[in-house]
Amino acid sequence: MVETPALVIGEAVPDDVPRLFALQREHPPKYWLRILPDRGLRGFLKHLVTSGTSTIVVARPAGIPEICGYIYAVWHPRVFWRGFFLKHPGTFLYLVLRYGTYRLRQEWRHWQQSRRRGGGTGAAADPERDLRRFSWSRSDPQIARAIF
């Protein structure tokens, strides 16, 4: 563990899952994780801590067991998601369906708006849509990825 005068930073353990869960519900994230029901979120957090292909780094005030900050790191995304599917198939399918329908609705709205503006099929009306996909990081599976 790395210690600073005010914070202790270290890896989360399974006993931290209830604290992480409470923190997530108290301050909901602004990404797909907020759509998980309570049971699914607990399973997801426990899998992050115990899978061996990911971790949660937590920050705590010195001398206090409460968690004041966290970040997820996943080293092998395919292995992580495969393991999550095998241990929590219902939560995995729920997540895929909810997030998938959310993304489809977003794409549909975007297509309708660009069609109204451009008067065409929608794809040609939005120049950013034609740009090549760009990644800010290398795609090496050994590089941890932050989930936003």
Side-chain angles (χ1 to χ4, degrees), residues 1 9-14 16 48-49 54-58 60 75:
M1 272 194 188
I9 299 170
E11 209 170 339
V13 294
D16 290 330
L48 275 166
V49 172
S54 61
T55 192
I56 303 176
V57 177
V58 294
R60 307 170 199 271
W75 294 281

Side-chain angles (χ1 to χ4, degrees), residues 66-87:
E66 292 304 313
I67 296 170
C68 62
Y70 61 89
I71 188 167
Y72 307 142
V74 177
W75 294 281
H76 301 286
R78 286 184 183 159
V79 176
F80 172 81
W81 286 112
R82 187 176 334 130
F84 184 69
F85 171 72
L86 293 173
K87 288 185 180 177

Side-chain angles (χ1 to χ4, degrees), residues 83-139:
F84 184 69
F85 171 72
L86 293 173
K87 288 185 180 177
H88 306 278
T91 302
F92 181 84
L93 293 174
Y94 176 85
L95 182 62
V96 168
L97 290 174
R98 282 288 308 266
Y99 188 67
T101 55
Y102 167 77
R103 289 298 304 239
L104 285 172
R105 281 194 305 264
Q106 270 188 327
E107 289 296 320
W108 178 255
R109 286 185 193 127
H110 178 75
W111 180 79
Q112 286 179 325
Q113 289 171 356
S114 61
R115 187 171 175 199
R116 276 187 231 129
R117 277 182 296 186
T121 62
D126 187 3
E128 286 186 23
R129 203 155 190 54
D130 296 331
L131 293 177
R132 185 173 65 84
R133 296 270 183 211
F134 179 78
S135 173
W136 285 101
S137 63
R138 297 183 316 184
S139 60

